[in-house]
Amino acid sequence: VQPPEKPLQSEEWNRLRETFRLPEIYEEVMLNSMIRCNSPIDVAKSLLTHVAKRNGDVAYSLLVKYLTLCVQQGQVSEIRDVYDIMKVRFKILEIGAYNLFIKGLSNSDQWRMALTLLEESKKIMIPSRTSYESCIKAASCHQEMKLAFELYHEMLAKDMVPTLDVLQSFFDFSRGMKGAELQKEMFGILLYLRENQIYPHKMFMRSIKLWFESIPGRKWRGRLTNIKDSGQCPVCNHQLEDSNLTEEEYSNLSERIIRDVIHGTDTFRKTSPQEFEAFQTFVENRLPFDIVIDGLNVSHIKPKKMHCENLLDAINCLAKDNVRLLVLGRKHMLINSSNWKREIMKEMQTKADFFFAENISEDDTFLLYATLRSGKHCKFVTRDFLRDHKACLSDSLTRHLFRKWQRGHQIVLKPVFFSVFSQQPAFQYDCVVQTTGDTWHIPYKDVFEEKYSYRVPRKWLCIQQQ
C-alpha cells in the first residue's frame, strides 16, 4: 500500500481500510509502508489517532512501528512521548523497543536518558550489543570517556564482541585528549585487536594513526609500510615477533588441543570413537607428515571444475621436494562419480597418503590431530577458520598460542589459472598488532570485513615515538 502524503481524517482512513484485502492487518501493513517510504510523522500520527478513537487504545506492535519511524527521523520529543505512553500502558517492554528508545535518544541532547534506559533494561534482560554501543558512542561523543570505557568493559564481560565501528569511535572522539588512564585504555583496545587477531580496515587504521599523532606532549609518528619477508620493518628497522612457537609453547599447545579439543566434549559429535581410533593408528604408523590437507574443503576451490581435479591440482602444487602429504578424504570420494573419477583418485594416491573417513565426520579434529602429532614443522591446508576449536580452549593464553600457531602453519591456496594455484605461505613473522613500548606495528586490511578471516594482511602501520 502507498501511504498518503498528508494526514487523513478518520472517515478517510476507514474508506482506505475497507478497500484493503485483509482489513484486520491494514494498520500494520500501512505503518510498515510508512517506515519504508519515510513518511512524514504527522501522517503516521493521524493513523494512530484514528486507531485510538476506534479501539480505545493502540496495540503494542503499532506503537513500536511508529517509534521506528520516529527514530529513523530523529524526532526526539515524539520518542519521549511514545516512551511515556508505553511505560504507563505496558509493565515490561521487550528488547526491540529498548533498542529503539536507546538508539533514538543516544543521538540527541537527551543522550543521558538513553543511559537510564540501558540501566532500566538490565533489570529484566541482557541489553543488546546495539544498545551498549549506542550509549558508548553517545558518551564518547560528549567526551565522557571514563563512562564510555565502563560500558565497553561491561560489554566484554558479557562476552559481546564489539563492532569495529565502536572501537574506531574511541580513537575518533578521544583525539587530542590528555590523561595516562585514557592512554592505558586506548592501548587496551589495541591489545584486544591483538588478542583476537582482528585487523582494522583502512578508515579505522587512519583513526588510530591520527589519535597517536594527536597525543599531547608525546611525539608519535605513523607511517604506512610493507614488512619484509624477514620480518623487519623498513620504517623503524624493528624486527617483528617470530611466528614460531618455542618448543615449550608448542608442546603445551599440542597437549591442550589434544586434551581439550580432540578428546574433549565435541570430538565425537560427528565421528565415532572407533573411527577416530582407527585414524590415530593410521597416523601414528605413518608419522611425520609435512603438510595435511583438508581434501573435501580444497576440492571446492574452483566451482566450475570437477572436485577431484581441484584436489589433484592442489596436490601437484604442494608435492615438491619430497614433502610428505596427508589428505583427509571422505568415503564417497572412492565411488566413481561425475565429481570423483576413479583414475584421478588413483593418480593422487601415488602422490599422497589418504585417509577416508565416514561421510559425516568432523574434518577439523582429524586435521588438527595429524598436524600437531607430526611436529612443529608440519603445515596444514584448509579454507576453514577453525573457530570452534578456539572456543573450546579455556584460557586466553592457550587461545593466543592457538591463533599464533594457526597463523604460522595455515597455507592458503589461491586459484590463479585453470589448473594452477599460488600458495600463500605461512609467514616467518607474526601478523598481529604488536608493541615494544615506543613502537606499535598494526597490520590492516584495505576493506572492512565483518567476518573473521584467516587471510593475513600485507599492509602495516608503523607508529614510532620520535
Side-chain angles (χ1 to χ4, degrees):
V1 293
Q2 194 56 36
E5 285 170 20
K6 55 183 201 325
L8 302 183
Q9 298 300 319
S10 276
E11 310 77 67
E12 296 171 290
W13 281 122
N14 274 333
R15 273 202 299 280
L16 285 176
R17 188 173 189 260
E18 280 158 19
T19 61
F20 189 65
R21 213 158 33 99
L22 298 162
E24 62 281 7
I25 58 162
Y26 173 72
E27 286 81 13
E28 299 255 351
V29 175
M30 177 54 83
L31 279 164
N32 284 340
S33 183
M34 288 180 182
I35 293 166
R36 215 171 33 251
C37 301
N38 204 19
S39 297
I41 281 296
D42 54 355
V43 177
K45 219 171 176 175
S46 78
L47 176 60
L48 291 196
T49 310
H50 159 64
V51 172
K53 272 189 200 159
R54 191 186 68 219
N55 300 347
D57 63 14
V58 179
Y60 185 95
S61 61
L62 295 184
L63 284 169
V64 170
K65 287 184 194 302
Y66 176 64
L67 173 61
T68 306
L69 189 63
C70 296
V71 170
Q72 199 167 287
Q73 298 182 7
Q75 304 271 358
V76 182
S77 62
E78 283 299 316
I79 295 171
R80 293 282 316 239
D81 290 350
V82 176
Y83 177 73
D84 294 339
I85 292 166
M86 289 181 88
K87 277 310 279 181
V88 171
R89 289 247 341 259
F90 309 103
K91 276 202 169 59
I92 288 180
L93 306 180
E94 41 72 64
I95 197 160
Y98 273 116
N99 275 346
L100 284 165
F101 283 124
I102 290 168
K103 185 182 172 189
L105 295 167
S106 63
N107 286 328
S108 73
D109 55 356
Q110 308 270 320
W111 67 278
R112 285 195 183 277
M113 187 179 168
L115 295 171
T116 311
L117 293 184
L118 183 71
E119 287 308 312
E120 186 183 294
S121 69
K122 281 184 209 167
K123 292 175 189 155
I124 49 171
M125 64 181 102
I126 293 176
S128 69
R129 173 171 83 171
T130 322
S131 291
Y132 268 110
E133 294 201 340
S134 296
C135 291
I136 288 172
K137 280 190 186 167
S140 311
C141 179
H142 292 86
Q143 309 280 283
E144 299 246 2
M145 299 314 291
K146 190 166 179 288
L147 174 59
F149 274 109
E150 276 168 22
L151 293 168
Y152 166 69
H153 289 300
E154 213 174 278
M155 262 182 86
L156 295 184
K158 292 187 164 77
D159 280 336
M160 290 180 189
V161 178
T163 57
L164 293 191
D165 189 37
V166 85
L167 295 179
Q168 184 181 339
S169 72
F170 279 112
F171 288 91
D172 289 336
F173 290 125
S174 60
R175 213 174 282 169
M177 286 172 80
K178 274 199 179 91
E181 194 50 45
L182 171 74
Q183 216 172 101
K184 193 173 145 217
E185 288 282 21
M186 300 301 283
F187 289 164
I189 293 179
L190 294 173
L191 295 174
Y192 175 83
L193 298 181
R194 171 190 171 87
E195 191 64 36
N196 293 282
Q197 194 184 334
I198 296 166
Y199 302 122
H201 48 80
K202 202 185 267 177
M203 295 278 291
F204 186 2
M205 176 276 295
R206 284 206 184 109
S207 297
I208 295 171
K209 179 178 182 293
L210 291 169
W211 175 78
F212 268 100
E213 291 173 344
S214 79
I215 299 174
R218 294 288 180 94
K219 287 271 185 287
W220 288 94
R221 173 148 187 235
R223 281 178 288 182
L224 308 186
T225 186
N226 292 335
I227 303 295
K228 295 176 184 168
D229 287 343
S230 63
Q232 192 186 39
C233 170
V235 175
C236 65
N237 295 323
H238 174 71
Q239 187 66 32
L240 294 192
E241 291 169 35
D242 191 341
S243 68
N244 283 320
L245 304 186
T246 64
E247 291 298 338
E248 191 186 349
E249 284 175 332
Y250 182 78
S251 70
N252 284 346
L253 178 69
S254 53
E255 265 170 44
R256 286 296 300 276
I257 290 185
I258 286 171
R259 190 185 76 208
D260 294 6
V261 177
I262 294 171
H263 295 309
T265 48
D266 78 331
T267 314
F268 302 126
R269 274 179 317 189
K270 296 182 188 155
T271 184
S272 69
Q274 294 81 357
E275 180 177 52
F276 196 67
E277 254 169 58
F279 175 67
Q280 283 176 293
T281 310
F282 174 90
V283 168
E284 297 301 324
N285 290 337
R286 289 169 177 76
L287 283 174
F289 296 102
D290 299 305
I291 301 175
V292 181
I293 302 167
D294 179 344
L296 197 60
N297 183 290
V298 168
S299 72
H300 288 82
I301 285 188
K302 294 179 185 169
K304 291 187 179 154
K305 280 192 82 166
M306 259 194 287
H307 295 168
C308 59
E309 286 183 340
N310 274 331
L311 188 52
L312 178 63
D313 292 344
I315 288 172
N316 286 337
C317 166
L318 297 162
K320 296 184 180 93
D321 309 321
N322 294 328
V323 296
R324 296 201 53 225
L325 304 180
L326 168 62
V327 180
L328 302 173
R330 296 290 176 82
K331 288 192 171 159
H332 72 257
M333 296 176 176
L334 294 166
I335 300 162
N336 201 22
S337 66
S338 59
N339 264 314
W340 298 102
K341 296 286 178 224
R342 191 161 285 145
E343 59 280 11
I344 295 179
M345 289 304 294
K346 277 191 178 146
E347 186 189 338
M348 283 193 264
Q349 284 166 280
T350 63
K351 300 179 179 194
D353 279 298
F354 270 76
F355 181 85
F356 296 98
E358 289 297 337
N359 294 329
I360 52 165
S361 298
E362 179 63 87
D363 295 29
D364 289 358
T365 319
F366 289 62
L367 183 84
L368 287 173
Y369 183 83
T371 310
L372 288 164
R373 285 294 295 127
S374 290
K376 242 174 96 169
H377 73 288
C378 185
K379 306 275 197 282
F380 63 92
V381 184
T382 177
R383 294 180 301 154
D384 280 350
F385 305 141
L386 308 183
R387 276 196 115 156
D388 298 350
H389 302 301
K390 178 181 163 236
C392 298
L393 298 167
S394 49
D395 63 290
S396 64
L397 176 67
T398 315
R399 282 199 293 269
H400 172 71
L401 289 179
F402 178 65
R403 279 282 172 243
K404 184 172 178 175
W405 173 77
Q406 184 183 357
R407 288 190 294 271
H409 290 75
Q410 185 161 3
I411 294 172
V412 178
L413 289 179
K414 286 194 211 151
V416 188
F417 306 114
F418 195 62
S419 63
V420 181
F421 288 103
S422 78
Q423 189 181 329
Q424 183 179 318
F427 287 94
Q428 296 300 305
Y429 55 89
D430 198 10
C431 198
V432 277
V433 171
Q434 35 193 284
T435 180
T436 59
D438 55 0
T439 67
W440 282 86
H441 287 90
I442 298 167
Y444 69 93
K445 298 221 160 179
D446 275 336
V447 289
F448 169 70
E449 280 176 3
E450 178 66 84
K451 273 171 86 167
Y452 172 83
S453 172
Y454 55 82
R455 289 181 188 236
V456 290
R458 297 292 188 145
K459 298 182 173 182
W460 289 72
L461 167 65
C462 162
I463 303 169
Q464 261 180 298
Q465 203 161 6
Q466 302 291 309

